[in-house]
Amino acid sequence: MRWLLLSLIWLLLAPVAVAQDLARLNPALSKIIDQKGQVEITLTLSRPVPFRVIHLQKPPRLAVELQSTDLSGLQLLDLSRSDHVVDGAAGLVDPKTSRLVLQFDRPFVVEAVRTALPSEALRVVVALRPSSEAELAERALRQADQSKVNAAPIPSQTLSRQDGSRPLRVMLDPGHGGIDPGALAGDLTEAQLILGFAKDLQRLLQEAGMEAFLTRDGDYYVSLERRVALAQQAQADLMLSLHADAADDESASGSKAYTISEEASDRLSKLLIRRQERAAMLSGVDLTAQDDAVADVLVDLARHNTLPRSRALADAIIGGLQATVGDLHSRPRSEASFSVLKAAEVPSVLLELGFLSNPNDLERLTDPVWQGRAQQGILKALQAWAKDDAAEAVKLRR
Ligand SMILES: [Zn+2]
């Protein structure tokens, strides 16, 4: 049972670190290789840090979580010489923890974890042996039971609908972050670009008298479930998820606002959803994801009341951007089943500001003048929506 303990607990190799600097991975001394039917992962870090190994299933994956470690810039798949590794990602899962996730072509489980401390560095060797689906499932489930204990419940509060008598509460949700960089354009990541945009927008909304919050304020990973929970905990009047994705079709350009639908019809939404799902899967968030049939029914009921308000919000935002920047997608309004739009009581819109894959969009999206105009458009849109929405709330009350 020693392997099990090793794979479940944090290995505290150093007393509470005095050093504030983050450990770094040495790529030259790290590798992933096939060894007599097994897969062997060797990671060498600049100093000892606590770490743990997590089994994930469907698809078969292994995550190595490292505290106080910076994995930025790591090209994980470049380390791999294994024929069994089919995908991988590495990055922050919260401001102080990095995670590295490998996806395999078949189930593997941890056979042994060995550590060594060569000249103040930490070497971790994880040996994996092929297993059955059932064995991997059993190990993954045991961990999920443990993590549930620590998972914060999502409160189901009754929110008082905004009626103009108090400042509007806005949850801004910069997409991606950390282990999930989003779309890429050279050295620029969607996660970085959008975070800067969201922070500027937050300031603008606050100056206009609104209360504005962010689901993340740095380059770290936040699960889709957590983003939704944050909007609910903040009792936000609305949630605006911000993105600038890439499309295979380079001609795709302009801003586009999504509201939720059960059935995603258009091809692009399906692509975007697949990308979000890949990010969620590779970050290993399914560790805590749990669904409950009764909760689903309640969520559907609430969504039924929220959806018209979300649609009005999306229309307002597209109108605001039309008036200020004018660079809209050929179909600026669409519906998709993005998880982040599932905050049942909170009207939610996912805004694709533009496409990093389109050269004109890339130029606009990185231009501070364009950004400022787009932010003004969003501010005007939120003000207009809040006014109409409050009038409706007052009417419904009578
Ligand atoms: Zn995105």
Side-chain angles (χ1 to χ4, degrees):
M1 292 306 274
R2 199 165 151 263
W3 50 260
L4 187 66
L5 286 173
L6 280 175
S7 66
L8 287 178
I9 56 168
W10 287 100
L11 293 176
L12 283 156
L13 288 166
V16 177
V18 187
Q20 295 299 305
D21 56 316
L22 295 173
R24 293 201 64 92
L25 188 86
N26 184 338
L29 297 176
S30 302
K31 61 185 176 181
I32 301 158
I33 54 165
D34 291 336
Q35 187 88 289
K36 294 175 198 154
Q38 301 205 335
V39 175
E40 196 177 87
I41 304 165
T42 303
L43 304 172
T44 303
L45 293 144
S46 57
R47 67 176 178 84
V49 290
F51 72 94
R52 64 172 175 163
V53 180
I54 305 163
H55 293 94
L56 299 163
Q57 57 163 340
K58 291 181 189 168
R61 284 155 296 155
L62 185 89
V64 181
E65 222 169 70
L66 301 149
Q67 281 190 2
S68 310
T69 300
D70 180 10
L71 293 177
S72 60
L74 172 67
Q75 296 302 312
L76 187 59
L77 293 177
D78 291 352
L79 296 181
S80 178
R81 302 278 170 272
S82 169
D83 293 335
H84 296 292
V85 173
V86 295
D87 206 348
L92 289 169
V93 287
D94 67 47
K96 282 187 173 155
T97 313
S98 280
R99 187 181 290 174
L100 168 163
V101 183
L102 295 170
Q103 184 185 333
F104 304 108
D105 61 351
R106 51 155 303 158
F108 280 91
V109 295
V110 174
E111 169 84 1
V113 179
R114 294 186 296 274
T115 55
L117 300 168
S119 55
E120 287 172 37
L122 166 67
R123 181 169 308 135
V124 179
V125 180
V126 182
L128 298 159
R129 62 167 169 79
S131 77
S132 63
E133 291 267 2
E135 190 183 3
L136 174 60
E138 197 251 344
R139 288 216 199 172
L141 276 177
R142 233 179 263 196
Q143 293 165 169
D145 281 349
Q146 290 218 334
S147 66
K148 260 182 214 165
V149 178
N150 300 322
I154 296 171
S156 53
Q157 298 151 311
T158 319
L159 305 179
S160 64
R161 182 169 166 173
Q162 70 95 17
D163 60 2
S165 60
R166 56 168 172 80
L168 193 71
R169 251 169 289 159
V170 180
M171 181 59 79
L172 297 173
D173 172 42
H176 313 280
I179 194 169
D180 167 22
L184 306 172
D187 287 341
L188 181 69
T189 69
E190 178 188 353
Q192 277 169 347
L193 175 78
I194 286 299
L195 180 62
F197 186 93
K199 283 182 170 173
D200 290 346
L201 180 58
Q202 179 190 31
R203 216 168 302 129
L204 183 70
L205 300 185
Q206 284 168 343
E207 283 164 13
M210 297 178 186
E211 292 174 8
F213 307 95
L214 297 171
T215 53
R216 67 175 176 95
D217 61 3
D219 190 20
Y220 52 87
Y221 183 81
V222 182
S223 73
L224 299 176
E225 291 82 1
R226 174 111 184 104
R227 293 169 196 262
V228 170
L230 286 168
Q232 290 171 327
Q233 278 163 11
Q235 305 216 5
D237 295 309
L238 68 96
M239 164 129 116
L240 177 58
S241 194
L242 295 159
H243 288 256
D245 279 309
D248 291 340
D249 177 5
E250 206 190 82
S251 69
S253 77
S255 305
K256 182 163 184 167
Y258 291 86
T259 45
I260 195 157
S261 81
E262 298 308 316
E263 206 76 29
S265 54
D266 92 12
R267 203 182 64 84
L268 184 61
S269 344
K270 278 188 187 145
L271 267 174
L272 293 175
I273 290 163
R274 218 173 297 146
R275 188 169 309 146
Q276 287 212 346
E277 279 172 352
R278 177 183 174 275
M281 185 197 77
L282 277 176
S283 60
V285 290
D286 57 354
L287 257 183
T288 52
Q290 329 148 15
D291 267 320
D292 179 297
V294 180
D296 275 354
V297 173
L298 294 175
V299 163
D300 279 343
L301 279 175
R303 194 181 297 149
H304 183 71
N305 294 325
T306 310
L307 192 53
R309 299 175 66 208
S310 296
R311 289 190 177 131
L313 177 61
D315 291 343
I317 288 169
I318 288 302
L321 290 172
Q322 170 79 70
T324 52
V325 289
D327 306 307
L328 299 183
H329 188 266
S330 53
R331 282 184 53 212
R333 280 282 291 108
S334 190
E335 309 212 320
S337 59
F338 292 120
S339 301
V340 76
L341 299 178
K342 287 181 184 160
E345 308 92 338
V346 185
S348 304
V349 170
L350 186 146
L351 176 64
E352 291 281 359
L353 279 167
F355 291 83
L356 291 181
S357 46
N358 177 280
N360 291 331
D361 272 16
L362 179 60
E363 205 181 305
R364 286 192 280 259
L365 289 164
T366 50
D367 173 7
V369 177
W370 189 93
Q371 288 189 3
R373 294 218 312 269
Q375 285 148 7
Q376 284 292 343
I378 294 170
L379 168 64
K380 295 267 154 44
L382 299 192
Q383 287 170 329
W385 174 82
K387 198 166 158 242
D388 291 350
D389 187 67
E392 194 190 80
V394 172
K395 205 164 72 191
L396 280 173
R397 214 177 286 159
R398 283 201 199 112

